[in-house]
Amino acid sequence: MNNSSDQLILSLSYISIHRVVDRIEQTHQKSYHTICLFQDRITTSDRSFPLQHVFDVSYRPFSGHTGLFYLHTNEGVFTFEIEEEPEYFISAFKQIQSN
């Protein structure tokens, strides 16, 4: 039987950039990951945050095609670089929080 808290509500892709240094050069590798909103938690590729520990989510656009998505938690603010508008993710989060 499926638990309703295990059903994905929305997801948001974010970019992770890693610096790679070898003997000759330094390069940057870009990888894509997903922030997932569930009824009881938000997960990233590295962490899971129970929704009762998430105070707010916000977004600050950059000029160009990217922006920063902020996850405000009881452990601090976590920042993610994103390329898509997060308005549906933010409104879904706020709707869950208001219930």
Side-chain angles (χ1 to χ4, degrees), residues 29-91:
Q29 295 179 341
K30 184 188 289 191
S31 59
Y32 290 85
H33 305 279
T34 305
I35 301 170
C36 298
L37 175 63
F38 296 91
Q39 193 68 35
D40 64 342
R41 69 192 180 281
I42 292 178
T43 63
T44 67
S45 64
D46 299 329
R47 306 203 47 173
S48 181
F49 302 94
L51 280 190
Q52 66 263 28
H53 295 169
V54 179
F55 305 132
D56 198 12
V57 293
S58 59
Y59 173 66
R60 173 84 51 194
F62 289 151
S63 59
H65 301 329
T66 64
L68 292 179
F69 180 78
Y70 299 97
L71 191 59
H72 306 264
T73 74
N74 66 338
E75 297 179 44
V77 178
F78 294 83
T79 306
F80 304 91
E81 184 178 352
I82 62 174
E83 293 178 328
E84 60 187 283
E85 291 289 327
E87 66 222 18
Y88 295 118
F89 191 97
I90 292 171
S91 66

Side-chain angles (χ1 to χ4, degrees), residues 15-34:
I15 303 165
S16 180
I17 299 176
H18 299 282
R19 184 176 65 157
V20 179
V21 180
D22 63 20
R23 289 203 236 173
I24 300 171
E25 65 183 349
Q26 171 180 302
T27 59
H28 294 90
Q29 295 179 341
K30 184 188 289 191
S31 59
Y32 290 85
H33 305 279
T34 305

